[in-house]
Amino acid sequence: MLDLILRNANLPDGRTGQDIAIEGGKIAEISPHIPAAAIAEIDAAGYLVTPPFVDPHFHMDATLSLGLPRMNRSGTLLEGIALWGELRPTLTIDALVDRALRYCDLAVSQGLLAIRSHVDTSDARLVTVEAMLEVKRRVAPYIDLQLVAFPQDGVFRAKDGLDSLIRALDMGVDIVGGIPHFERTMEDGRLSVETLCRLAADRGLPVDMHCDETDDPLSRHVETLAAQTIRHGLQTRVAGSHLTSMHSMDNYYASKLIPLIAEAQMNVIPNPLINIMLQGRHDTYPKRRGMTRVRELMAAGINVSFGHDCVMDPWYSMGSGDMLEVGHMAIHVAQMASVDEKIDIFNALTTNAARTLGLTDYGLAKGNTADMVLLQAQNPAEALRLKPARLAVIKSGKIIAQTPARVSTLSLSGRPETVNAAHYAPNL
Ligand code: FE2
């Protein structure tokens, strides 16, 4: 007897009418009409079952702190950093853990089961690090949480910045971060990339840097990051987050840079919600979009995944833990709305992001851990359009979250009694 079986599911690769059998927390079989019985059964009813959403770029130490100690009045990245600097000395481990756990509850309800979070190491007290390591331990049964040592104020600009970052790694943080465009000079930025890549290589750790999060087309630290990746043999283990300056670069330089990023096998992580909100702030009109060149990077074979970055914090007052909201914005900002491009965007929230995080045992395949999400949508394009209910979220074969289907009732003479938005355009 199986533990659980999902009947009549659509899959992200286009297969329809599939049953998914689960036993011992693993996927035992995926095929049409599995005859075996199970202790529990879910009728997927032709809706989409996807591997869990993966957020490759988040700030778990800042989330849900909106309004503390005040709101960001200008709405800019720099006021956000200043505001975080005001809040930071007042942070306590208990408050940080409480807010992060509440966010993780929300994430689970949205089918988001793997998150890479940057953790600010600028304050030498490192309460942020202590708190996030505790959160990582507490959520481990249901969320795969990776932590990046992130020198928000600049590894050279902050007092004892490099020392604090190294202590965070010693405490158990998994990944080396950086913020070269926020160092005092271009030269310091270049030096920070070199120093941090060497540190990662020496310790056998991955790298994930906030890189060139600016509208300055001459902010070219990504070039150094790619070169250092190759020099230290860090291919596939380095991520460049944001890369918004690429939006403003001239096309000739971009034509040299993109193949270099591909050669370094770097992962690229745009953050569409935050990029469209924070970039272009010094423009009048026309205003730049400020998101990196997603279509061109993908066309070059580079692994692109999208991050949520912020939810209700000093930088961004919006957000809901829903990666489909991130993908919805990506479609608009990147103008990628063809049938194939929507698949690319959906993959950037799931399989590409899992690759960025280096997750093994991810995906809907026999033998993998039975982690999956049943959506009230029939295919990835419809999921991106509707941001539908997560009818069931399954972790290691157990249902850990459920949401009722959204069906409206109508009181209109001569019209149907109910409306289910997922029954409108099944294939487009
Ligand atoms: Fe970020």
Side-chain angles (χ1 to χ4, degrees), residues 39 99 107:
I39 296 166
R99 285 196 288 265

Side-chain angles (χ1 to χ4, degrees), residues 119-141:
V119 184
D120 186 6
T121 59
S122 301
D123 184 332
R125 294 184 305 147
L126 294 180
V127 291
T128 45
V129 174
E130 255 188 82
M132 292 308 111
L133 286 167
E134 171 66 10
V135 171
K136 177 176 169 152
R137 192 184 62 74
R138 300 258 293 264
V139 303

Side-chain angles (χ1 to χ4, degrees), residues 57 59 210 242 309:
H57 186 113
H59 294 263
H210 285 65
H242 292 293
D309 200 3

Side-chain angles (χ1 to χ4, degrees), residues 13 16 28 90 92 107 147 154 190-191 195 205 218 230 232 239 270 290 328 331 346 349 376 401 404 411-412 422 428:
D13 62 11
T16 60
T90 71
T92 65
L147 300 177
R190 184 188 64 75
L191 198 60
T195 302
L205 296 175
L218 296 179
I230 296 166
H232 291 290
H328 190 272
I331 286 172
F346 190 85
L349 309 170
Q376 190 190 354
S411 301
L412 299 172
L428 295 172

Side-chain angles (χ1 to χ4, degrees), residues 57-59 118 150 152 210 213 241-242 271 274 309-310:
H57 186 113
F58 194 63
H59 294 263
H118 295 253
F150 173 48
Q152 172 75 73
H210 285 65
E213 188 183 2
S241 283
H242 292 293
N271 296 286
I274 275 54
D309 200 3
C310 301

Side-chain angles (χ1 to χ4, degrees), residues 28-237:
E29 188 180 348
I30 302 177
S31 63
H33 310 300
I34 295 171
I39 296 166
E41 188 163 317
I42 295 175
D43 179 10
Y47 285 137
L48 178 67
V49 173
T50 173
F53 295 105
V54 177
D55 181 358
H57 186 113
F58 194 63
H59 294 263
M60 191 78 85
D61 52 359
T63 194
L64 306 187
S65 67
L66 183 67
L68 298 174
R70 60 178 176 81
M71 295 294 283
N72 182 336
R73 284 184 285 267
S74 67
T76 61
L77 171 65
L78 292 182
E79 186 175 345
I81 293 174
L83 183 48
W84 175 243
E86 292 171 34
L87 175 60
R88 203 164 41 200
T90 71
L91 294 173
T92 65
I93 290 176
D94 285 351
L96 284 161
V97 169
D98 180 58
R99 285 196 288 265
L101 289 177
R102 288 183 60 220
Y103 180 76
C104 288
D105 295 340
L106 183 63
V108 167
S109 75
Q110 303 279 29
L112 171 54
L113 300 186
I115 301 172
R116 174 179 283 184
S117 176
H118 295 253
V119 184
D120 186 6
T121 59
S122 301
D123 184 332
R125 294 184 305 147
L126 294 180
V127 291
T128 45
V129 174
E130 255 188 82
M132 292 308 111
L133 286 167
E134 171 66 10
V135 171
K136 177 176 169 152
R137 192 184 62 74
R138 300 258 293 264
V139 303
Y142 51 92
I143 290 181
D144 193 339
L145 178 59
Q146 295 185 350
L147 300 177
V148 184
F150 173 48
Q152 172 75 73
D153 292 354
V155 75
F156 295 139
R157 194 168 175 171
K159 188 173 179 305
D160 301 323
L162 184 57
D163 176 62
S164 295
L165 184 144
I166 289 171
R167 282 195 293 122
L169 298 176
D170 290 340
M171 288 165 71
V173 171
D174 315 281
I175 298 163
V176 177
I179 186 164
H181 58 278
F182 196 68
E183 302 291 351
R184 287 193 178 89
T185 63
M186 282 293 178
E187 177 58 17
D188 275 2
R190 184 188 64 75
L191 198 60
S192 78
V193 174
E194 290 183 6
T195 302
L196 294 165
C197 284
R198 190 176 312 118
L199 178 65
D202 288 348
R203 290 184 174 232
L205 296 175
V207 174
D208 190 334
M209 285 192 196
H210 285 65
C211 193
D212 303 325
E213 188 183 2
T214 158
D215 295 314
D216 176 5
L218 296 179
S219 186
R220 297 176 169 187
H221 297 296
V222 58
E223 180 184 75
T224 308
L225 184 58
Q228 290 293 309
T229 299
I230 296 166
R231 181 159 298 157
H232 291 290
L234 292 168
Q235 289 90 336
T236 73
R237 291 161 49 201

